[in-house]
Each structure stands twice: as structure tokens, then as C-alpha cells.
PDB file of all heavy atoms in Angstrom:
ATOM      1  N   VAL A  26     -50.853  69.491 -23.107  1.00 96.00           N
ATOM      2  CA  VAL A  26     -49.865  69.811 -22.070  1.00 96.00           C
ATOM      3  C   VAL A  26     -48.511  70.134 -22.705  1.00 96.00           C
ATOM      4  O   VAL A  26     -47.861  71.128 -22.354  1.00 96.00           O
ATOM      5  CB  VAL A  26     -49.730  68.639 -21.072  1.00 96.00           C
ATOM      6  CG1 VAL A  26     -48.597  68.902 -20.085  1.00 96.00           C
ATOM      7  CG2 VAL A  26     -51.043  68.423 -20.331  1.00 96.00           C
ATOM      8  N   LEU A  27     -48.085  69.302 -23.655  1.00 96.00           N
ATOM      9  CA  LEU A  27     -46.807  69.541 -24.332  1.00 96.00           C
ATOM     10  C   LEU A  27     -46.857  70.825 -25.158  1.00 96.00           C
ATOM     11  O   LEU A  27     -45.883  71.595 -25.171  1.00 96.00           O
ATOM     12  CB  LEU A  27     -46.476  68.344 -25.226  1.00 96.00           C
ATOM     13  CG  LEU A  27     -45.146  68.408 -25.999  1.00 96.00           C
ATOM     14  CD1 LEU A  27     -43.974  68.613 -25.044  1.00 96.00           C
ATOM     15  CD2 LEU A  27     -44.953  67.142 -26.822  1.00 96.00           C
ATOM     16  N   ALA A  28     -47.971  71.080 -25.827  1.00 96.00           N
ATOM     17  CA  ALA A  28     -48.108  72.296 -26.641  1.00 96.00           C
ATOM     18  C   ALA A  28     -48.019  73.545 -25.773  1.00 96.00           C
ATOM     19  O   ALA A  28     -47.388  74.538 -26.163  1.00 96.00           O
ATOM     20  CB  ALA A  28     -49.432  72.273 -27.400  1.00 96.00           C
ATOM     21  N   LEU A  29     -48.639  73.505 -24.601  1.00 95.00           N
ATOM     22  CA  LEU A  29     -48.593  74.659 -23.707  1.00 95.00           C
ATOM     23  C   LEU A  29     -47.172  74.911 -23.221  1.00 95.00           C
ATOM     24  O   LEU A  29     -46.708  76.065 -23.178  1.00 95.00           O
ATOM     25  CB  LEU A  29     -49.534  74.433 -22.517  1.00 95.00           C
ATOM     26  CG  LEU A  29     -49.650  75.575 -21.511  1.00 95.00           C
ATOM     27  CD1 LEU A  29     -50.132  76.855 -22.195  1.00 95.00           C
ATOM     28  CD2 LEU A  29     -50.591  75.196 -20.375  1.00 95.00           C
ATOM     29  N   LEU A  30     -46.457  73.839 -22.886  1.00 94.00           N
ATOM     30  CA  LEU A  30     -45.064  73.994 -22.448  1.00 94.00           C
ATOM     31  C   LEU A  30     -44.196  74.552 -23.569  1.00 94.00           C
ATOM     32  O   LEU A  30     -43.349  75.421 -23.339  1.00 94.00           O
ATOM     33  CB  LEU A  30     -44.514  72.640 -21.977  1.00 94.00           C
ATOM     34  CG  LEU A  30     -45.153  72.050 -20.707  1.00 94.00           C
ATOM     35  CD1 LEU A  30     -44.593  70.666 -20.434  1.00 94.00           C
ATOM     36  CD2 LEU A  30     -44.933  72.971 -19.515  1.00 94.00           C
ATOM     37  N   LEU A  31     -44.405  74.072 -24.786  1.00 94.00           N
ATOM     38  CA  LEU A  31     -43.628  74.562 -25.919  1.00 94.00           C
ATOM     39  C   LEU A  31     -43.951  76.021 -26.223  1.00 94.00           C
ATOM     40  O   LEU A  31     -43.054  76.816 -26.548  1.00 94.00           O
ATOM     41  CB  LEU A  31     -43.906  73.702 -27.159  1.00 94.00           C
ATOM     42  CG  LEU A  31     -43.431  72.246 -27.098  1.00 94.00           C
ATOM     43  CD1 LEU A  31     -43.855  71.499 -28.352  1.00 94.00           C
ATOM     44  CD2 LEU A  31     -41.923  72.178 -26.920  1.00 94.00           C
ATOM     45  N   ALA A  32     -45.228  76.378 -26.116  1.00 93.00           N
ATOM     46  CA  ALA A  32     -45.621  77.766 -26.371  1.00 93.00           C
ATOM     47  C   ALA A  32     -45.015  78.709 -25.339  1.00 93.00           C
ATOM     48  O   ALA A  32     -44.517  79.791 -25.677  1.00 93.00           O
ATOM     49  CB  ALA A  32     -47.148  77.887 -26.366  1.00 93.00           C
ATOM     50  N   LEU A  33     -45.033  78.296 -24.078  1.00 91.00           N
ATOM     51  CA  LEU A  33     -44.458  79.132 -23.020  1.00 91.00           C
ATOM     52  C   LEU A  33     -42.943  79.228 -23.158  1.00 91.00           C
ATOM     53  O   LEU A  33     -42.351  80.282 -22.899  1.00 91.00           O
ATOM     54  CB  LEU A  33     -44.831  78.562 -21.650  1.00 91.00           C
ATOM     55  CG  LEU A  33     -46.312  78.612 -21.280  1.00 91.00           C
ATOM     56  CD1 LEU A  33     -46.567  77.911 -19.944  1.00 91.00           C
ATOM     57  CD2 LEU A  33     -46.802  80.063 -21.204  1.00 91.00           C
ATOM     58  N   ALA A  34     -42.308  78.120 -23.571  1.00 91.00           N
ATOM     59  CA  ALA A  34     -40.852  78.131 -23.729  1.00 91.00           C
ATOM     60  C   ALA A  34     -40.409  79.104 -24.810  1.00 91.00           C
ATOM     61  O   ALA A  34     -39.324  79.692 -24.728  1.00 91.00           O
ATOM     62  CB  ALA A  34     -40.352  76.722 -24.047  1.00 91.00           C
ATOM     63  N   GLN A  35     -41.262  79.303 -25.814  1.00 87.00           N
ATOM     64  CA  GLN A  35     -40.903  80.215 -26.897  1.00 87.00           C
ATOM     65  C   GLN A  35     -41.038  81.681 -26.501  1.00 87.00           C
ATOM     66  O   GLN A  35     -40.603  82.569 -27.238  1.00 87.00           O
ATOM     67  CB  GLN A  35     -41.777  79.939 -28.126  1.00 87.00           C
ATOM     68  CG  GLN A  35     -41.495  78.605 -28.773  1.00 87.00           C
ATOM     69  CD  GLN A  35     -42.249  78.421 -30.069  1.00 87.00           C
ATOM     70  OE1 GLN A  35     -41.941  79.042 -31.083  1.00 87.00           O
ATOM     71  NE2 GLN A  35     -43.264  77.574 -30.040  1.00 87.00           N
ATOM     72  N   LEU A  36     -41.631  81.932 -25.339  1.00 82.00           N
ATOM     73  CA  LEU A  36     -41.744  83.309 -24.862  1.00 82.00           C
ATOM     74  C   LEU A  36     -40.466  83.770 -24.175  1.00 82.00           C
ATOM     75  O   LEU A  36     -40.308  84.959 -23.890  1.00 82.00           O
ATOM     76  CB  LEU A  36     -42.925  83.434 -23.890  1.00 82.00           C
ATOM     77  CG  LEU A  36     -44.308  83.073 -24.451  1.00 82.00           C
ATOM     78  CD1 LEU A  36     -45.356  83.213 -23.360  1.00 82.00           C
ATOM     79  CD2 LEU A  36     -44.657  83.968 -25.639  1.00 82.00           C
ATOM     80  N   GLY A  37     -39.572  82.831 -23.873  1.00 75.00           N
ATOM     81  CA  GLY A  37     -38.325  83.165 -23.193  1.00 75.00           C
ATOM     82  C   GLY A  37     -37.307  83.757 -24.141  1.00 75.00           C
ATOM     83  O   GLY A  37     -37.544  83.970 -25.336  1.00 75.00           O
ATOM     84  N   ASN A  38     -36.128  84.007 -23.599  1.00 74.00           N
ATOM     85  CA  ASN A  38     -35.052  84.639 -24.368  1.00 74.00           C
ATOM     86  C   ASN A  38     -33.983  83.661 -24.837  1.00 74.00           C
ATOM     87  O   ASN A  38     -32.995  84.074 -25.436  1.00 74.00           O
ATOM     88  CB  ASN A  38     -34.383  85.730 -23.515  1.00 74.00           C
ATOM     89  CG  ASN A  38     -35.364  86.849 -23.147  1.00 74.00           C
ATOM     90  OD1 ASN A  38     -36.197  87.224 -23.964  1.00 74.00           O
ATOM     91  ND2 ASN A  38     -35.259  87.345 -21.918  1.00 74.00           N
ATOM     92  N   GLY A  39     -34.176  82.372 -24.557  1.00 77.00           N
ATOM     93  CA  GLY A  39     -33.175  81.386 -24.961  1.00 77.00           C
ATOM     94  C   GLY A  39     -33.270  81.073 -26.448  1.00 77.00           C
ATOM     95  O   GLY A  39     -34.213  80.406 -26.896  1.00 77.00           O
ATOM     96  N   ALA A  40     -32.315  81.550 -27.218  1.00 83.00           N
ATOM     97  CA  ALA A  40     -32.360  81.372 -28.673  1.00 83.00           C
ATOM     98  C   ALA A  40     -32.272  79.903 -29.065  1.00 83.00           C
ATOM     99  O   ALA A  40     -32.954  79.453 -29.993  1.00 83.00           O
ATOM    100  CB  ALA A  40     -31.225  82.161 -29.321  1.00 83.00           C
ATOM    101  N   VAL A  41     -31.437  79.137 -28.357  1.00 87.00           N
ATOM    102  CA  VAL A  41     -31.273  77.719 -28.686  1.00 87.00           C
ATOM    103  C   VAL A  41     -32.588  76.967 -28.467  1.00 87.00           C
ATOM    104  O   VAL A  41     -33.013  76.164 -29.311  1.00 87.00           O
ATOM    105  CB  VAL A  41     -30.149  77.093 -27.836  1.00 87.00           C
ATOM    106  CG1 VAL A  41     -30.072  75.593 -28.093  1.00 87.00           C
ATOM    107  CG2 VAL A  41     -28.818  77.764 -28.151  1.00 87.00           C
ATOM    108  N   ALA A  42     -33.238  77.222 -27.330  1.00 87.00           N
ATOM    109  CA  ALA A  42     -34.506  76.554 -27.029  1.00 87.00           C
ATOM    110  C   ALA A  42     -35.582  76.939 -28.042  1.00 87.00           C
ATOM    111  O   ALA A  42     -36.332  76.078 -28.521  1.00 87.00           O
ATOM    112  CB  ALA A  42     -34.959  76.908 -25.618  1.00 87.00           C
ATOM    113  N   VAL A  43     -35.640  78.218 -28.377  1.00 90.00           N
ATOM    114  CA  VAL A  43     -36.658  78.698 -29.318  1.00 90.00           C
ATOM    115  C   VAL A  43     -36.479  78.061 -30.685  1.00 90.00           C
ATOM    116  O   VAL A  43     -37.433  77.566 -31.297  1.00 90.00           O
ATOM    117  CB  VAL A  43     -36.626  80.237 -29.417  1.00 90.00           C
ATOM    118  CG1 VAL A  43     -37.512  80.712 -30.567  1.00 90.00           C
ATOM    119  CG2 VAL A  43     -37.083  80.859 -28.110  1.00 90.00           C
ATOM    120  N   TRP A  44     -35.247  78.044 -31.190  1.00 93.00           N
ATOM    121  CA  TRP A  44     -35.007  77.478 -32.513  1.00 93.00           C
ATOM    122  C   TRP A  44     -35.173  75.968 -32.521  1.00 93.00           C
ATOM    123  O   TRP A  44     -35.594  75.385 -33.523  1.00 93.00           O
ATOM    124  CB  TRP A  44     -33.618  77.877 -33.010  1.00 93.00           C
ATOM    125  CG  TRP A  44     -33.595  79.283 -33.531  1.00 93.00           C
ATOM    126  CD1 TRP A  44     -33.029  80.372 -32.947  1.00 93.00           C
ATOM    127  CD2 TRP A  44     -34.211  79.756 -34.738  1.00 93.00           C
ATOM    128  NE1 TRP A  44     -33.247  81.501 -33.703  1.00 93.00           N
ATOM    129  CE2 TRP A  44     -33.961  81.151 -34.815  1.00 93.00           C
ATOM    130  CE3 TRP A  44     -34.931  79.141 -35.757  1.00 93.00           C
ATOM    131  CZ2 TRP A  44     -34.424  81.933 -35.872  1.00 93.00           C
ATOM    132  CZ3 TRP A  44     -35.394  79.923 -36.808  1.00 93.00           C
ATOM    133  CH2 TRP A  44     -35.139  81.293 -36.858  1.00 93.00           C
ATOM    134  N   SER A  45     -34.872  75.317 -31.403  1.00 93.00           N
ATOM    135  CA  SER A  45     -35.096  73.874 -31.309  1.00 93.00           C
ATOM    136  C   SER A  45     -36.586  73.554 -31.395  1.00 93.00           C
ATOM    137  O   SER A  45     -37.003  72.618 -32.094  1.00 93.00           O
ATOM    138  CB  SER A  45     -34.518  73.327 -30.004  1.00 93.00           C
ATOM    139  OG  SER A  45     -33.129  73.537 -29.942  1.00 93.00           O
ATOM    140  N   ILE A  46     -37.375  74.340 -30.688  1.00 93.00           N
ATOM    141  CA  ILE A  46     -38.829  74.138 -30.708  1.00 93.00           C
ATOM    142  C   ILE A  46     -39.385  74.427 -32.092  1.00 93.00           C
ATOM    143  O   ILE A  46     -40.232  73.691 -32.610  1.00 93.00           O
ATOM    144  CB  ILE A  46     -39.500  75.016 -29.644  1.00 93.00           C
ATOM    145  CG1 ILE A  46     -39.105  74.539 -28.245  1.00 93.00           C
ATOM    146  CG2 ILE A  46     -41.020  74.979 -29.792  1.00 93.00           C
ATOM    147  CD1 ILE A  46     -39.549  75.463 -27.138  1.00 93.00           C
ATOM    148  N   ARG A  47     -38.913  75.494 -32.708  1.00 93.00           N
ATOM    149  CA  ARG A  47     -39.410  75.829 -34.048  1.00 93.00           C
ATOM    150  C   ARG A  47     -39.030  74.774 -35.074  1.00 93.00           C
ATOM    151  O   ARG A  47     -39.790  74.509 -36.017  1.00 93.00           O
ATOM    152  CB  ARG A  47     -38.883  77.204 -34.456  1.00 93.00           C
ATOM    153  CG  ARG A  47     -39.510  78.346 -33.656  1.00 93.00           C
ATOM    154  CD  ARG A  47     -39.022  79.700 -34.106  1.00 93.00           C
ATOM    155  NE  ARG A  47     -39.661  80.763 -33.323  1.00 93.00           N
ATOM    156  CZ  ARG A  47     -39.383  82.054 -33.452  1.00 93.00           C
ATOM    157  NH1 ARG A  47     -38.467  82.446 -34.344  1.00 93.00           N
ATOM    158  NH2 ARG A  47     -40.013  82.952 -32.711  1.00 93.00           N
ATOM    159  N   THR A  48     -37.859  74.160 -34.901  1.00 95.00           N
ATOM    160  CA  THR A  48     -37.461  73.067 -35.791  1.00 95.00           C
ATOM    161  C   THR A  48     -38.383  71.869 -35.611  1.00 95.00           C
ATOM    162  O   THR A  48     -38.834  71.255 -36.590  1.00 95.00           O
ATOM    163  CB  THR A  48     -36.004  72.655 -35.516  1.00 95.00           C
ATOM    164  OG1 THR A  48     -35.143  73.780 -35.726  1.00 95.00           O
ATOM    165  CG2 THR A  48     -35.580  71.516 -36.429  1.00 95.00           C
ATOM    166  N   PHE A  49     -38.655  71.533 -34.354  1.00 95.00           N
ATOM    167  CA  PHE A  49     -39.594  70.445 -34.056  1.00 95.00           C
ATOM    168  C   PHE A  49     -40.956  70.717 -34.676  1.00 95.00           C
ATOM    169  O   PHE A  49     -41.559  69.839 -35.317  1.00 95.00           O
ATOM    170  CB  PHE A  49     -39.712  70.290 -32.538  1.00 95.00           C
ATOM    171  CG  PHE A  49     -40.924  69.514 -32.090  1.00 95.00           C
ATOM    172  CD1 PHE A  49     -40.936  68.135 -32.130  1.00 95.00           C
ATOM    173  CD2 PHE A  49     -42.049  70.180 -31.626  1.00 95.00           C
ATOM    174  CE1 PHE A  49     -42.051  67.417 -31.721  1.00 95.00           C
ATOM    175  CE2 PHE A  49     -43.177  69.479 -31.213  1.00 95.00           C
ATOM    176  CZ  PHE A  49     -43.170  68.094 -31.266  1.00 95.00           C
ATOM    177  N   VAL A  50     -41.463  71.935 -34.497  1.00 95.00           N
ATOM    178  CA  VAL A  50     -42.775  72.302 -35.036  1.00 95.00           C
ATOM    179  C   VAL A  50     -42.769  72.219 -36.558  1.00 95.00           C
ATOM    180  O   VAL A  50     -43.709  71.701 -37.175  1.00 95.00           O
ATOM    181  CB  VAL A  50     -43.171  73.716 -34.567  1.00 95.00           C
ATOM    182  CG1 VAL A  50     -44.421  74.201 -35.306  1.00 95.00           C
ATOM    183  CG2 VAL A  50     -43.423  73.723 -33.062  1.00 95.00           C
ATOM    184  N   ALA A  51     -41.711  72.729 -37.180  1.00 95.00           N
ATOM    185  CA  ALA A  51     -41.626  72.709 -38.646  1.00 95.00           C
ATOM    186  C   ALA A  51     -41.623  71.281 -39.186  1.00 95.00           C
ATOM    187  O   ALA A  51     -42.267  70.991 -40.202  1.00 95.00           O
ATOM    188  CB  ALA A  51     -40.379  73.456 -39.100  1.00 95.00           C
ATOM    189  N   ILE A  52     -40.920  70.388 -38.503  1.00 95.00           N
ATOM    190  CA  ILE A  52     -40.838  69.003 -38.965  1.00 95.00           C
ATOM    191  C   ILE A  52     -42.193  68.317 -38.866  1.00 95.00           C
ATOM    192  O   ILE A  52     -42.653  67.667 -39.815  1.00 95.00           O
ATOM    193  CB  ILE A  52     -39.780  68.230 -38.159  1.00 95.00           C
ATOM    194  CG1 ILE A  52     -38.374  68.736 -38.497  1.00 95.00           C
ATOM    195  CG2 ILE A  52     -39.882  66.730 -38.422  1.00 95.00           C
ATOM    196  CD1 ILE A  52     -37.281  68.157 -37.628  1.00 95.00           C
ATOM    197  N   PHE A  53     -42.860  68.461 -37.733  1.00 95.00           N
ATOM    198  CA  PHE A  53     -44.112  67.741 -37.532  1.00 95.00           C
ATOM    199  C   PHE A  53     -45.288  68.402 -38.239  1.00 95.00           C
ATOM    200  O   PHE A  53     -46.287  67.730 -38.521  1.00 95.00           O
ATOM    201  CB  PHE A  53     -44.403  67.593 -36.031  1.00 95.00           C
ATOM    202  CG  PHE A  53     -43.689  66.434 -35.415  1.00 95.00           C
ATOM    203  CD1 PHE A  53     -42.403  66.581 -34.910  1.00 95.00           C
ATOM    204  CD2 PHE A  53     -44.271  65.187 -35.354  1.00 95.00           C
ATOM    205  CE1 PHE A  53     -41.732  65.514 -34.351  1.00 95.00           C
ATOM    206  CE2 PHE A  53     -43.613  64.108 -34.799  1.00 95.00           C
ATOM    207  CZ  PHE A  53     -42.332  64.271 -34.300  1.00 95.00           C
ATOM    208  N   ARG A  54     -45.196  69.685 -38.529  1.00 94.00           N
ATOM    209  CA  ARG A  54     -46.247  70.325 -39.322  1.00 94.00           C
ATOM    210  C   ARG A  54     -46.010  70.149 -40.812  1.00 94.00           C
ATOM    211  O   ARG A  54     -46.954  70.223 -41.603  1.00 94.00           O
ATOM    212  CB  ARG A  54     -46.321  71.820 -38.993  1.00 94.00           C
ATOM    213  CG  ARG A  54     -46.821  72.129 -37.595  1.00 94.00           C
ATOM    214  CD  ARG A  54     -46.845  73.627 -37.354  1.00 94.00           C
ATOM    215  NE  ARG A  54     -47.874  74.285 -38.149  1.00 94.00           N
ATOM    216  CZ  ARG A  54     -47.970  75.597 -38.311  1.00 94.00           C
ATOM    217  NH1 ARG A  54     -47.055  76.382 -37.755  1.00 94.00           N
ATOM    218  NH2 ARG A  54     -48.939  76.119 -39.023  1.00 94.00           N
ATOM    219  N   GLY A  55     -44.773  69.914 -41.195  1.00 94.00           N
ATOM    220  CA  GLY A  55     -44.435  69.834 -42.608  1.00 94.00           C
ATOM    221  C   GLY A  55     -44.398  68.442 -43.189  1.00 94.00           C
ATOM    222  O   GLY A  55     -44.206  68.277 -44.395  1.00 94.00           O
ATOM    223  N   THR A  56     -44.583  67.421 -42.343  1.00 95.00           N
ATOM    224  CA  THR A  56     -44.581  66.046 -42.832  1.00 95.00           C
ATOM    225  C   THR A  56     -45.929  65.387 -42.520  1.00 95.00           C
ATOM    226  O   THR A  56     -46.579  65.737 -41.536  1.00 95.00           O
ATOM    227  CB  THR A  56     -43.453  65.227 -42.178  1.00 95.00           C
ATOM    228  OG1 THR A  56     -43.596  65.279 -40.739  1.00 95.00           O
ATOM    229  CG2 THR A  56     -42.093  65.790 -42.555  1.00 95.00           C
ATOM    230  N   PRO A  57     -46.359  64.431 -43.345  1.00 95.00           N
ATOM    231  CA  PRO A  57     -47.652  63.768 -43.111  1.00 95.00           C
ATOM    232  C   PRO A  57     -47.653  62.952 -41.826  1.00 95.00           C
ATOM    233  O   PRO A  57     -46.633  62.357 -41.452  1.00 95.00           O
ATOM    234  CB  PRO A  57     -47.813  62.859 -44.341  1.00 95.00           C
ATOM    235  CG  PRO A  57     -46.869  63.400 -45.356  1.00 95.00           C
ATOM    236  CD  PRO A  57     -45.725  63.986 -44.600  1.00 95.00           C
TER     237      PRO A  57
END
């Protein structure tokens, strides 16, 4: 459910929201 919301949010035009989500993704994918 959270992944779907994050994926849909990245389709929007809000740069702040997109970069916030990408930062979250980078942190949790890049750490054990």
C-alpha cells in the first residue's frame, strides 16, 4: 500500500515530494 502511494506520488509535478521520496528510497535501498 505504501509503495503504491509512493509510486503514484512520483508521477506528480511536485519536485519537493519527488525528491523526498527518492531520498527515502535511496536510504532504505542503500542500507542493510
